Amino acid sequence: MRPRDILLAVAVAAAWGCNFVAIEVGLDRMPPLLFGALRFALAAFPAVLLIGGPRTPWRWVLGIGLVLGVVKFSLLFAGMAAGLPAGLSSLLLQSQAIFTTVFAVALLRERPGVRQWAGLGVAVAGVGLVASRLGSDRPVEGFVLVLAAAVAWSVSNVMMRRAAPPDMLRFMVWVSAVATLPLFALSLLFEGPDRVGAALSGLDLSGLGALAYIAGISTLAGFAGWGVLIKQYGAATVAPFSMLVPFFGMSSAALFLGEPLRAGDVIAGALVIGGVLLGASGGGRVAAPDGTDRRPGPSHEPDQRLVVAGRQVASSA
């Protein structure tokens, strides 16, 4: 990769990592379901009126819009609103790689290699270390909700692989449009018109800035830059930069939110990220349509696990 493109990849990862700080700021000013609805509304409109159709079957647009946009982000925002720190949330969300592999084995007939299973074992150890350090400042409820968000993300990863959208930015704009109305409806139902009205009427510049960052920089600009890199270099080259997201997430949370960066968190992060990278380089087999085994090739058949990572990492933001 050219130096400027390396800088672009790092900048996108930094934008997605720092996004967890923006989420924390937004959740301080509005309830999680309303915050999610406003985020997707700004990401979808007016872009959805200008870009044309999603170029992907509607069943995938609707399905991923509900699983990723509604379920995953509602759980993530609720977990952070329940008190799980932003930096730790950015790390725990990467456990989606564990669940993605499990679902790929069960639903897509993938056959992970030894290094993949070893990598998953290392990542599980990292998640276990996070779980062992729960307490008053890291509530169990928040941990469970963010872990459930990682499960929902992994389901959407499998769906995304089947959908294989040719234009991720265009696709994500439509996914955002699909998620908007259900999230507004859920917000009115569970958070109540009074709470929603009070949050909207009291929205300040910090809240507006958080929404602008998440919708404009993290979603639209982030996907645009990532899509350019994927098209130019391929997912196998670009996807490893996604592992910088928890690094920037934890660092920015410590810098801007004053969250303590403990040695145990650093070790857990190294285990999760190292395990995911080890698994991504494991060279597992995928069942072909005729039932035979094949290894994805390095050129015209990129490793689909890395394609999933390359296309989906932005969902963590």
Side-chain angles (χ1 to χ4, degrees), residues 19-311:
N19 193 52
F20 286 86
V21 173
I23 292 173
E24 192 75 34
V25 172
L27 291 174
D28 284 341
R29 289 157 176 80
M30 63 195 88
L33 291 173
L34 176 63
F35 184 50
L38 292 174
R39 171 256 176 97
F40 283 116
L42 289 177
F45 301 99
V48 74
L49 304 176
L50 305 174
I51 63 173
R55 297 180 181 174
T56 306
W58 279 103
R59 66 181 183 276
W60 297 119
V61 178
L62 295 173
I64 294 172
L66 293 175
V67 174
L68 179 66
V70 177
V71 177
K72 183 255 185 174
F73 278 101
S74 295
L75 291 169
L76 172 63
F77 289 175
M80 293 180 65
L84 196 70
L88 202 61
S89 297
S90 71
L91 171 62
L92 185 59
L93 206 59
Q94 295 304 317
S95 65
Q96 58 82 23
I98 300 170
F99 301 110
T100 298
T101 299
V102 172
F103 287 130
V105 170
L107 302 176
L108 300 180
R109 300 169 60 197
E110 289 195 3
R111 301 180 183 180
V114 174
R115 289 182 65 183
Q116 278 182 273
W117 287 120
L120 289 182
V122 173
V124 168
V127 174
L129 181 57
V130 172
S132 71
R133 299 173 63 82
L134 297 177
S136 59
D137 60 337
R138 302 172 177 209
V140 174
E141 178 186 0
F143 174 85
V144 171
L145 287 169
V146 174
L147 196 64
V151 174
W153 183 12
S154 69
V155 173
S156 71
N157 283 347
V158 175
M159 297 172 69
M160 188 74 73
R161 173 174 168 179
R162 295 294 301 273
D167 186 333
M168 276 300 298
L169 176 61
R170 180 190 298 258
F171 182 76
M172 286 305 300
V173 167
W174 279 99
V175 165
S176 298
V178 167
T180 299
L181 290 180
L183 283 170
F184 272 122
L186 289 172
S187 178
L188 290 171
L189 179 63
F190 291 103
E191 295 166 346
D194 292 341
R195 191 179 177 192
V196 169
L200 291 176
S201 62
L203 199 58
D204 58 13
L205 289 178
S206 295
L208 291 173
L211 285 170
Y213 182 94
I214 294 172
I217 297 178
S218 176
T219 302
L220 298 180
F223 267 112
W226 198 255
V228 168
L229 294 172
I230 290 288
K231 288 180 180 179
Q232 185 168 356
Y233 295 103
T237 299
V238 178
F241 286 94
S242 69
M243 290 299 100
L244 293 174
V245 172
F247 168 78
F248 285 112
M250 298 177 75
S251 301
S252 61
L255 179 62
F256 296 110
L257 301 177
E259 293 183 1
L261 193 59
R262 301 167 182 167
D265 297 336
V266 175
I267 295 172
L271 289 172
V272 172
I273 295 171
V276 171
L277 288 175
L278 178 62
S281 63
R285 295 180 180 274
V286 180
D290 60 2
T292 60
D293 289 342
R294 61 178 172 84
R295 286 185 182 271
S299 56
H300 61 285
E301 290 184 288
D303 188 322
Q304 292 299 320
R305 287 171 286 106
L306 287 177
V307 172
V308 167
R311 287 176 171 172

